[in-house]
């Protein structure tokens, strides 16, 4: 299946398609960090738009997490906006936008020229227990991506 998916991505790129890659990396299911990075690299290098969670970004950049991952706890202290130089090893020529989500409370964006963050639909002090931070962050980025493609 890996080879089929990679071939489909390559065909899409050849035909001018925009490749959106949502990592969805369940780290406990992998045997090692190196195996994980080797597996994702081929598609990562072809993607135009990538969405990762804060935890996935920290894993890929070798940053020790500042807290235990908990999808029901979206305290504001977890919304670190990393400087672009921290993400530089992840950047490649095809990449146009890298989104970093931590639920819906804040979405960070990085391009070659700009970076920042926008508040999402929730305010963490008012709604501290998002049911599923991963899926809610995906929804925000999917909405942004669909308007970008139009």
């Amino acid at each position: 299946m890996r080879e089929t998916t990679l071939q489909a991505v390559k065909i899409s790129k050849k035909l001018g398609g925009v490749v959106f890659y949502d990592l969805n990396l369940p780290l406990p299911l992998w045997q090692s960090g190196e195996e994980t990075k080797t597996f994702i690299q081929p598609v990562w290098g072809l993607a135009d738009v990538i969405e990762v969670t804060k935890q996935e970004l920290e894993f890929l950049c070798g940053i020790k997490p500042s807290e235990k991952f908990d999808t029901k706890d979206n305290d504001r202290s977890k919304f670190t906006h990393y400087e672009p130089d921290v993400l530089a090893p992840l950047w490649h020529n095809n990449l146009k936008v890298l989104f970093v989500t931590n639920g819906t409370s804040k979405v960070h964006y990085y391009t070659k020229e700009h970076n920042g963050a926008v508040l999402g639909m929730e305010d963490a002090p008012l709604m501290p227990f998002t049911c599923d931070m991963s899926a809610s962050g995906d929804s925000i980025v999917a909405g942004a991506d669909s308007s970008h493609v139009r």
Side-chain angles (χ1 to χ4, degrees):
M1 175 147 162
R2 258 189 283 188
E3 294 81 17
T4 303
T5 302
L6 186 57
Q7 190 62 28
V9 169
K10 288 178 180 178
I11 291 169
S12 176
K13 290 293 288 184
K14 188 174 184 178
L15 295 174
V18 175
V19 176
F20 175 80
Y21 187 30
D22 178 353
L23 195 52
N24 278 333
L25 185 64
L27 291 172
L29 300 180
W30 293 89
Q31 292 183 23
S32 74
E34 286 310 309
E35 174 195 39
T36 306
K37 290 176 183 178
T38 300
F39 180 79
I40 65 169
Q41 188 55 43
V43 176
W44 185 280
L46 295 170
D48 298 288
V49 179
I50 297 175
E51 186 265 334
V52 296
T53 65
K54 178 181 178 281
Q55 293 74 24
E56 291 165 344
L57 175 74
E58 290 171 339
F59 164 74
L60 293 170
C61 291
I63 299 169
K64 183 176 181 201
S66 56
E67 76 286 328
K68 181 182 174 203
F69 178 64
D70 181 358
T71 61
K72 296 181 192 268
D73 177 9
N74 60 358
D75 181 75
R76 277 212 190 274
S77 67
K78 297 182 178 184
F79 302 139
T80 304
H81 183 78
Y82 291 105
E83 291 300 317
D85 60 320
V86 173
L87 285 74
L90 303 178
W91 209 264
H92 58 80
N93 290 336
N94 291 319
L95 189 56
K96 309 291 186 282
V97 182
L98 175 65
F99 290 107
V100 181
T101 62
N102 198 33
T104 59
S105 295
K106 208 175 214 183
V107 176
H108 304 267
Y109 62 90
Y110 299 85
T111 69
K112 286 183 181 178
E113 296 85 24
H114 305 285
N115 71 88
V118 291
L119 293 176
M121 301 182 306
E122 301 175 3
D123 186 353
L126 299 176
M127 299 190 62
F129 300 109
T130 300
C131 181
D132 183 349
M133 285 175 46
S134 181
S136 56
D138 290 351
S139 299
I140 287 177
V141 174
D145 194 46
S146 72
S147 66
H148 173 267
V149 171
R150 290 183 204 172

